[in-house]
Amino acid sequence: MNTGSALKLCYTVPLWNRLSRVAVCYGGPRHLSAIAKNHGEKRPSMQEPHPDIERICYSEDQLRDRVTEMGRQITEDYAGKQLVVISVLRGAAIFMADLVRAIDLPIEMDYMAISSYGSGAVSSGIVRVLKDITSDIEGKHVLIAEDIVDSGLTLNYTIKSLASHHPADIEVAALLYKDRKDAPRIDCKYVGFEVPDEFIVGYGLDYAERY
């Protein structure tokens, strides 16, 4: 991961369209969708802001510091317990990787793949399980590492699915919690940042597999 200026895009070769920061797309999904169709054009340099991006919400340093704080609290809360950290691919993969390294405990990791967005910017309302966990979590303490809580549809489905495996308990560590008036409040034990109801990309949060 690039550790340069906090307000610049981070590109990896050949995946030049990834962000190591959290940013808001300029003009929302409509503008982004139009931009995404023109990715064959000249690529921006490392020093230029990407044309899709309106502003940076959180810098790389802010993300690292907050995830470290969350990991420290999780370490205290789960000391002496069998902890399994589960993330929903693919958006939460980067957050989970950083989070588990900040947890100073022996832990298990597993992954689920669930989709409610497809290639769009708004949830379709239909949840599909693409990959289930393979670990035995019965009687263990489960922590879901979630990139962003939006409508809550995917997260609620994930919690119900994991509950069928009879863990000791299930808690949620969300990097971002979106403030939506039209969605029910979901109890997350750990929240990195509360964010406005805007379309956010970067640090693993994608739009149609980009960023």
Side-chain angles (χ1 to χ4, degrees):
M1 183 177 291
N2 188 299
T3 56
S5 173
L7 297 181
K8 303 300 180 183
L9 297 181
C10 175
Y11 302 105
T12 56
V13 178
L15 299 179
W16 63 277
N17 55 349
R18 299 294 176 186
L19 289 171
S20 64
R21 300 15 168 193
V22 172
V24 173
C25 290
Y26 178 76
R30 286 186 180 178
H31 178 83
L32 178 61
S33 180
I35 293 294
K37 295 176 182 178
N38 298 317
H39 278 170
E41 297 178 0
K42 181 180 179 292
R43 297 174 182 179
S45 72
M46 289 284 287
Q47 301 303 316
E48 295 173 348
H50 195 283
D52 290 354
I53 304 306
E54 179 184 359
R55 70 180 187 277
I56 302 297
C57 297
Y58 304 104
S59 70
E60 191 169 353
D61 287 343
Q62 287 176 303
L63 291 170
R64 180 173 54 248
D65 291 348
R66 185 68 187 108
V67 171
T68 298
E69 291 175 3
M70 294 172 73
R72 186 180 301 117
Q73 186 61 56
I74 292 168
T75 299
E76 294 178 6
D77 293 346
Y78 287 91
K81 299 179 180 180
Q82 282 187 291
L83 177 62
V84 184
V85 182
I86 297 173
S87 75
V88 176
L89 298 172
R90 286 174 280 185
I94 296 175
F95 168 54
M96 177 175 175
D98 288 344
L99 181 65
V100 295
R101 284 183 292 209
I103 300 173
D104 189 17
L105 294 171
I107 61 175
E108 295 180 53
M109 294 185 294
D110 209 334
Y111 306 88
M112 295 182 70
I114 296 176
S115 174
S116 67
Y117 281 84
S119 61
V122 180
S123 175
S124 66
I126 300 173
V127 177
R128 294 184 301 147
V129 176
L130 307 178
K131 178 194 176 301
D132 204 351
I133 60 170
T134 57
S135 300
D136 179 9
I137 63 173
E138 184 172 356
K140 299 177 182 178
H141 301 272
V142 169
L143 180 65
I144 300 172
E146 181 74 312
D147 53 353
I148 184 167
V149 179
D150 193 337
S151 68
L153 178 68
T154 301
L155 181 56
N156 275 326
Y157 188 92
T158 302
I159 293 171
K160 290 178 181 178
S161 177
L162 292 173
S164 68
H165 294 270
H166 308 294
D169 54 47
I170 301 173
E171 298 290 355
V172 178
L175 174 66
L176 305 175
Y177 197 111
K178 186 176 288 190
D179 182 19
R180 287 186 51 168
K181 306 303 182 185
D182 60 340
R185 186 77 184 178
I186 296 178
D187 183 29
C188 296
K189 189 170 185 177
Y190 312 96
V191 175
F193 303 95
E194 297 224 7
V195 296
D197 189 9
E198 298 177 283
F199 194 74
I200 298 174
V201 298
Y203 197 59
L205 285 80
D206 75 293
Y207 172 73
E209 309 305 328
R210 297 182 184 274
Y211 307 100

